[in-house]
């Protein structure tokens, strides 16, 4: 990995065949009032003119990072993580865009915290398509105040919008990369935010930081046929990471996760989780 540059923000944008939407996303990053940034456009095997469109923008802060088609958002994001040079890491989906003060607002609050918070996220305005000129309100309608999100809150529900996340590079040594597995084509970001929240609370901004495209027909969420099963897979990934990173802490979060799993899963899914927990418990006892 390249030497980390203080103050630099590495913006990671995964993309696949979005030559029309991609320029607006990139321009919204380049237009930030915090101008010290690099934009890493991480391709997932696009067959359209996305690369040519990016090259035509002619900005040296923008880098095209090619890669084969994986069909998993985690794969291109991870390529970006490995090449990021910034002290801070930010994420944006290629059909979303940022408001101009997004980074400056987050960085100012995090710097005021003097290291007690190392990650940030916030609300976003919902739009039905990238070309929509009208927003249809806040995506998180009940989260309109500035607050701090804890692990306990995120275990209950994912309140993190990926295109608003900003985190310190130092966290990567512990949280690693996004989980790349077919069962987490949807939810790999949630699994990752649970890791982040295990190390630091997240400063949440109730005001919109971005414009989020909520188009289920073209989203990877369209593949999530069973939300309960997806959540079980997210917990499984989180348990596995926690068992390796902090096995003693696993004993404290297991009861909460089991309670949530039984609430959201069918009986058959619960038995699958129980088998996984049994395996992890045995692995934990070997470590202690």
């Amino acid at each position: 990995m390249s030497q980390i540059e203080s103050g630099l923000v590495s913006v990671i944008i995964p993309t696949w065949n979005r030559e029309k939407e991609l320029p607006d996303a990139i321009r919204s990053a380049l237009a930030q009032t915090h101008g010290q940034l690099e934009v890493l456009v991480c391709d997932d095997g696009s067959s359209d003119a996305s690369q040519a469109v990016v090259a035509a923008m002619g900005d040296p802060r923008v880098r095209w990072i090619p890669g084969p088609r994986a069909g998993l958002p985690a794969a291109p994001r991870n390529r970006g993580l490995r090449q990021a040079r910034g002290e801070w890491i930010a994420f944006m989906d290629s059909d979303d865009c940022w408001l101009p003060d997004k980074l400056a607002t987050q960085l100012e609050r995090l710097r005021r915290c003097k290291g007690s918070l190392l990650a940030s996220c916030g609300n976003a305005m919902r739009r039905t398509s990238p070309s929509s000129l009208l927003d249809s309100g806040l995506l998180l309608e009940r989260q309109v105040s500035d607050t701090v999100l804890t692990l306990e809150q995120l275990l209950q529900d994912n309140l993190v919008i990926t295109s608003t996340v900003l985190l310190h590079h130092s966290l990567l040594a512990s949280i690693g990369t996004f989980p790349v597995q077919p069962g987490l084509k949807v939810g790999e970001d949630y699994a990752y935010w649970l890791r982040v929240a295990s190390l630091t609370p997240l400063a949440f901004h109730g005001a919109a930081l971005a414009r989020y495209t909520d188009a289920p027909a073209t989203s990877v969420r369209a593949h999530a046929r069973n939300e309960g099963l997806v959540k079980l897979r997210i917990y499984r990934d989180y348990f596995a990471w926690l068992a390796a990173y902090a096995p003693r802490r696993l004993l404290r979060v297991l009861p909460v996760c089991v309670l949530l799993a039984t609430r959201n899963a069918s009986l058959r899914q619960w038995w699958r989780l129980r088998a996984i927990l049994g395996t992890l418990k045995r692995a934990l006892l070997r470590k202690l």
Side-chain angles (χ1 to χ4, degrees), residues 202-280:
L202 289 86
F204 180 87
H205 294 261
L209 299 174
R211 301 184 73 203
Y212 174 87
T213 302
D214 191 11
T218 58
S219 170
V220 293
R221 298 193 311 277
H223 299 277
R225 298 179 179 178
N226 190 321
E227 293 184 5
L229 182 57
V230 168
K231 200 157 190 176
L232 293 179
R233 290 168 176 165
I234 290 169
Y235 288 153
R236 179 176 63 185
D237 176 86
Y238 176 59
F239 294 155
W241 172 81
L242 198 57
Y245 172 74
R248 292 183 182 276
R249 191 180 302 178
L250 179 62
L251 294 176
R252 295 204 300 270
V253 302
L254 274 177
V256 176
C257 293
V258 169
L259 177 62
L260 295 170
T262 55
R263 184 188 69 183
N264 295 318
S266 67
L267 183 61
R268 180 179 179 184
Q269 292 160 356
W270 159 238
W271 281 108
R272 289 179 182 175
L273 178 62
R274 183 176 177 179
I276 294 167
L277 294 180
T279 301
L280 286 172

Side-chain angles (χ1 to χ4, degrees), residues 14-142:
T15 191
W16 178 64
N17 287 348
R18 278 186 171 154
E19 59 180 309
K20 294 181 179 179
E21 299 89 348
L22 187 55
D24 284 343
I26 296 173
R27 280 193 285 264
S28 76
L30 298 177
Q32 290 294 296
T33 54
H34 176 87
Q36 191 179 354
L37 50 79
E38 62 174 358
V39 180
L40 310 180
V41 183
C42 306
D43 187 46
D44 192 37
S46 292
S47 57
D48 64 359
S50 292
Q51 183 174 3
V53 166
V54 171
M57 300 185 76
D59 194 307
R61 293 175 293 174
V62 182
R63 285 196 283 154
W64 176 265
I65 300 178
R69 174 67 174 158
L72 301 169
R77 284 198 188 107
N78 288 342
R79 284 196 291 274
L81 285 175
R82 295 185 184 104
Q83 296 204 31
R85 301 188 300 243
E87 177 186 4
W88 297 92
I89 310 294
F91 301 93
M92 188 195 325
D93 289 343
S94 57
D95 60 345
D96 295 340
C97 67
W98 287 346
L99 300 184
D101 292 331
K102 187 261 187 192
L103 291 179
T105 299
Q106 291 178 284
L107 288 170
E108 180 183 1
R109 182 175 174 188
L110 289 171
R111 286 166 180 160
R112 288 201 310 266
C113 294
K114 298 181 179 180
S116 61
L117 298 176
L118 295 174
S120 171
C121 62
N123 223 323
M125 298 301 296
R126 178 191 281 113
R127 58 183 181 177
T128 55
S129 71
S131 59
S132 175
L133 299 177
L134 297 176
D135 297 318
S136 56
L138 289 171
L139 186 63
L140 301 176
E141 297 176 346
R142 298 182 180 180

